[in-house]
Amino acid sequence: MSFNTYGQKTHTSKAPVQVWAEVSGVKHGGGSIDGFSSLAVGTVIPAGIPVALDAAGGTIKPIYFYELAKPLLATDTEAILYGAAPLVATGGYLIVVPSAIAGTGTGVAYSAAVDNGDGTHTITIEANALGTAAAGTIYAEADKAGAGAVVKETGVPAGLLWHDVVKEDGDTVGTGAVVDAGRIFEDRIPAIPAAYKAVLPTIKFEKGI
């Protein structure tokens, strides 16, 4: 189905929320989700997430981002992020998504991450590590800490995922369809940085009513 409850910023009900206003183009053949067999049962890859696709009927690689839920002060030692995928519980690196897909920035370490079960994740950081940031700032996992870091999940999106893909007990393969033309309600899907929207000119991002 072309709607979900999993990428939302509120979870007042389990009723599905339509994310696509119109689908007018789909990549031929779709593909199989990269790393699907290793996902935990119950994992949901939500409709509307950007994905790379290497060939028709090939491999779909989801590209995950994380949106700051509330303003961050320089002295804060925790940050809350919206995101469709869990972060590494034992720690990792984050980067403010650069203005260009292949751009670099400064990677910042976080020492722990907790999935709050409501579409948000709380990370533990050192004071001043992320500085001051406004709510809505978009981050991604980085390849390292320090200058010259890049977004860890490399790839240019071929489109957005049409339907939710759910890992159920016994599943070893997950498949998806990739939309490359249409209209989507961007306030009903996980945040997508401007640079990634720019390479999808035939998808129109709209506000839901």
Side-chain angles (χ1 to χ4, degrees):
M1 54 188 175
S2 57
F3 41 77
N4 67 65
T5 60
Y6 304 99
Q8 306 304 307
K9 298 179 184 177
T10 59
H11 293 262
T12 55
S13 76
K14 290 295 183 180
V17 177
Q18 183 173 342
V19 301
W20 287 102
E22 177 186 4
V23 172
S24 53
V26 181
K27 292 291 187 187
H28 180 70
S32 299
I33 305 296
D34 183 45
F36 189 80
S37 62
S38 64
L39 297 177
V41 172
T43 296
V44 178
I45 305 171
I49 199 165
V51 293
L53 177 65
D54 60 358
T59 301
I60 291 175
K61 186 174 182 180
I63 304 171
Y64 295 109
F65 300 106
Y66 302 88
E67 182 182 5
L68 190 62
K70 63 180 183 179
L72 186 70
L73 302 178
T75 54
D76 286 343
T77 56
E78 288 188 341
I80 299 175
L81 306 168
Y82 298 115
L87 290 160
V88 180
T90 55
Y93 310 109
L94 286 180
I95 183 175
V96 175
V97 177
S99 59
I101 290 178
T104 63
T106 301
V108 173
Y110 63 93
S111 59
V114 176
D115 186 339
N116 299 319
D118 60 355
T120 68
H121 313 272
T122 299
I123 60 169
T124 302
I125 54 175
E126 292 187 3
N128 299 305
L130 290 175
T132 300
T137 300
I138 302 176
Y139 299 88
E141 290 192 272
D143 66 331
K144 65 177 184 178
V150 297
V151 173
K152 187 175 181 180
E153 292 182 351
T154 59
V156 176
L160 306 181
L161 195 63
W162 191 354
H163 309 294
D164 291 343
V165 177
V166 184
K167 174 68 176 291
E168 298 182 346
D169 192 25
D171 288 350
T172 57
V173 177
T175 59
V178 180
V179 176
D180 59 6
R183 296 160 48 225
I184 194 165
F185 298 123
E186 67 175 324
D187 52 349
R188 300 181 183 181
I189 61 173
I192 302 176
Y196 291 77
K197 292 179 183 178
V199 299
L200 302 171
T202 51
I203 295 178
K204 185 177 181 181
F205 294 86
E206 302 179 347
K207 299 294 184 183
I209 299 174

